[in-house]
Amino acid sequence: MHRRVRPGRRPRTRRLVAAVAALTAVAVGASCTPGSPTQGSETPRQPRSAVSTDPSKAGKVTLTVWDQEVRGSQNVAMTNLNNEFMKKYPNITIKRVAKSFTDLKTTLKLALSDDNPPDVVQANQGYPDMGTFVDAGMLQRLDPYANAYGWRKRYSKTLLDLNSFTPNGKQFGQGYLYGISQTGEIVGVYYNKKKLAALGLAQPKTWGEFTKQLATIKSKGELPIMFGNKDAFPAIHTYGMIQNRTNPQQEIVDTVFTRPGKKWDTTGNENAAATMQDWVEKGYFSEGANGLGYDQAAADFANGKGVFLMTGTWLYADLAKTMKKDLGFMPPPPVKAGGVPYATGGQGLSWSITSRSEHSDVAGAYLDFITSPHAADVVTKAGGLPAIAPESAKPEAGTALAQIFTEWTRLNDANGLVPYLDYTTPNFYDTLSVQLQRLIGEKATPQQCIGEMQKDYGDFQAHK
């Protein structure tokens, strides 16, 4: 939760510094500071002119922005912030193109290759998207804007490193800054308080208690976990939660950052895949999950189907609109009661400026505006979780959002955030998506699933 502090102190930043330090320790290692790359074969692109921080002097400008903030609180926050920016700068028109995460991921590379690309885009961190775009020279270095707007004081170096790459896209977590993030994220477990109580159950305190509840819920004729994986990405998050309980935290972190000597075909990863397929066979997930859409599954859960929904904090506002205070949220319970918590999460998708933008300075001012302390207030009031907490807005007591804010603090204080698995290699999003769909569809054994992941992982390590 937010704590009132003396002016000038930024407790959330410090907590997040500590939390993501574990994620980037390997990637950053003995690297250079942002803005001082050590390697890269291509000539990095620079802003077209000296930075101007006053968009009112830019003349009439239409700024084309592609984002994936289509859900309840995200859409409300971005709509409000865009309107405020245009009101502040009447000479600027924001042409917003909002797409789902899947649609954005599918179309962004083509859009960036176009002769007239968007000015500002959201790009997923890690090797599949940001690393690829950086290597292709599609994104602009933001270091001049970080200096002009003081982003190095707003964000920790560690947070900025998570949006940094060397110019050849080969080294994640070092080199130049290519994006900044607006929101924080936890991948956890939503639960229906009313249903849980009706079944005589309480919020589980351990992973073992949670898995026992799945059997109890199934035996009483209820669906334990509402799960739609037609969009393919949800299984990455679900598998990640199970993997978090079959592997030590640092093992996952080191593997995602492809630390030398690490591999994917481990007993812990295979056990996670076996557990996931076991849950399919026992009917703990929605029947035909690979044919059920992510949004439809969320809507079904909000309307009373299923006791648990395993996904991220970005869905809070959509779910709470229907469930209100019947909605609960928790990170995956620890293996042992009172154990140190850890869960997949971190920063939201980064906001970047494209290399061919003719309005780089206006785009830089826009990025500064939507990630400012005021913007964090707007995000919170809309029901979202800002990466850097405001000191003013506080979630309503007794809501799942209040639980999310509490858990965000707890996870950060405990260094408890684990990076998204799809960051791992340039092709890992596709590899994970396909192999987990095959696992869920019982078209592949856990050994075969993990074996295909290892092929991708090993090939990347060999050629990195």
Side-chain angles (χ1 to χ4, degrees):
M1 292 293 291
H2 307 300
R3 289 183 295 183
R4 302 296 295 183
V5 295
R6 295 195 300 271
R9 298 187 67 185
R10 296 176 293 138
R12 178 61 52 82
T13 303
R14 292 202 309 279
R15 288 196 295 271
L16 203 47
V17 169
V20 296
L23 312 187
T24 56
V26 175
V28 175
S31 68
C32 59
T33 57
S36 302
T38 56
Q39 58 183 347
S41 57
E42 296 188 4
T43 301
R45 301 193 179 197
Q46 299 283 3
R48 294 177 182 275
S49 61
V51 172
S52 168
T53 58
D54 187 357
S56 67
K57 297 178 180 177
K60 290 286 186 181
V61 170
T62 296
L63 196 70
T64 302
V65 177
W66 279 34
D67 70 55
Q68 58 100 48
E69 308 296 323
V70 296
R71 302 189 183 283
S73 64
Q74 300 168 321
N75 185 55
V76 170
M78 288 313 304
T79 299
N80 290 340
L81 289 170
N82 285 349
N83 288 337
E84 288 184 15
F85 189 77
M86 289 188 285
K87 184 178 181 180
K88 184 176 182 180
Y89 302 109
N91 58 315
I92 308 297
T93 298
I94 295 174
K95 181 182 177 183
R96 183 184 179 204
V97 180
K99 297 170 175 276
S100 69
F101 172 78
T102 302
D103 287 345
L104 181 71
K105 190 171 179 62
T106 302
T107 59
L108 188 54
K109 187 174 183 179
L110 183 61
L112 293 177
S113 305
D114 191 82
D115 289 337
N116 187 29
D119 298 288
V120 173
V121 299
Q122 278 191 285
N124 200 12
Q125 294 93 337
Y127 289 104
D129 291 347
M130 182 178 279
T132 299
F133 300 153
V134 168
D135 183 36
M138 293 173 170
L139 300 182
Q140 190 170 134
R141 297 175 186 173
L142 301 187
D143 301 86
Y145 298 110
N147 295 333
Y149 289 105
W151 293 344
R152 299 189 197 290
K153 295 181 181 177
R154 178 180 301 169
Y155 296 94
S156 70
K157 177 181 181 298
T158 307
L159 284 181
L160 295 175
D161 283 342
L162 284 173
N163 286 318
S164 297
F165 264 98
T166 52
N168 60 4
K170 299 296 185 186
Q171 299 296 328
F172 179 30
Q174 56 184 286
Y176 291 105
L177 181 67
Y178 288 95
I180 54 175
S181 297
Q182 182 190 56
T183 57
E185 295 176 348
I186 308 169
V187 179
V189 184
Y190 290 99
Y191 56 94
N192 186 319
K193 294 179 182 177
K194 187 179 292 185
K195 276 183 170 286
L196 207 59
L199 290 162
L201 303 172
Q203 179 183 332
K205 303 300 183 187
T206 67
W207 186 249
E209 188 179 339
F210 172 68
T211 56
K212 285 182 180 178
Q213 286 188 356
L214 299 180
T216 299
I217 294 166
K218 182 66 178 177
S219 71
K220 293 187 176 182
E222 289 278 1
L223 173 63
I225 303 172
M226 176 55 67
F227 181 41
N229 192 45
K230 185 177 181 180
D231 305 83
F233 74 85
I236 299 175
H237 297 156
T238 303
Y239 174 78
M241 275 187 268
I242 299 171
Q243 184 203 35
N244 286 343
R245 295 300 169 263
T246 59
N247 288 273
Q249 178 188 357
Q250 194 59 45
E251 174 70 17
I252 301 171
V253 173
D254 291 345
T255 304
V256 170
F257 283 108
T258 60
R259 190 174 196 177
K262 291 300 171 184
K263 58 181 186 177
W264 258 91
D265 54 347
T266 64
T267 301
N269 287 342
E270 190 173 308
N271 286 343
T275 297
M276 195 167 189
Q277 194 167 67
D278 181 56
W279 288 5
V280 172
E281 293 169 352
K282 289 178 175 173
Y284 292 172
F285 292 130
S286 306
E287 186 175 358
N290 280 339
L292 178 62
Y294 175 73
D295 288 333
Q296 185 58 56
D300 288 347
F301 176 75
N303 287 314
K305 294 182 180 179
V307 177
F308 298 114
L309 178 72
M310 303 172 80
T311 188
T313 49
W314 51 84
L315 267 190
Y316 164 75
D318 288 330
L319 299 173
K321 186 176 182 180
T322 301
M323 299 178 72
K324 305 187 186 307
K325 290 189 176 182
D326 286 335
L327 178 67
F329 179 86
M330 61 180 175
V335 173
K336 296 181 180 178
V340 177
Y342 60 97
T344 303
Q347 297 183 97
L349 260 63
S350 85
W351 294 79
S352 302
I353 302 175
T354 60
S355 292
R356 293 182 182 176
S357 173
E358 298 290 338
H359 311 295
S360 299
D361 287 352
V362 174
Y366 175 74
L367 262 56
D368 181 68
F369 185 82
I370 65 171
T371 58
S372 65
H374 167 70
D377 260 343
V378 174
V379 169
T380 303
K381 289 175 182 174
L385 176 64
I388 307 298
E391 296 183 9
S392 51
K394 296 181 179 179
E396 181 183 355
T399 64
L401 187 59
Q403 290 178 294
I404 288 169
F405 270 66
T406 298
E407 296 298 345
W408 180 246
T409 299
R410 197 162 71 99
L411 286 167
N412 282 297
D413 285 347
N415 293 343
L417 291 172
V418 175
Y420 290 99
L421 300 181
D422 57 279
Y423 290 177
T424 305
T425 80
N427 299 318
F428 221 55
Y429 178 89
D430 293 332
T431 299
L432 280 171
S433 300
V434 170
Q435 293 307 319
L436 291 175
Q437 278 200 324
R438 295 185 71 234
L439 183 77
I440 293 165
E442 299 185 86
K443 303 295 184 185
T445 66
Q447 295 81 7
Q448 291 169 332
C449 174
I450 297 302
E452 291 300 317
M453 294 176 187
Q454 174 59 34
K455 286 181 183 177
D456 185 325
Y457 191 73
D459 183 65
F460 180 61
Q461 280 191 321
H463 297 90
K464 189 177 177 185

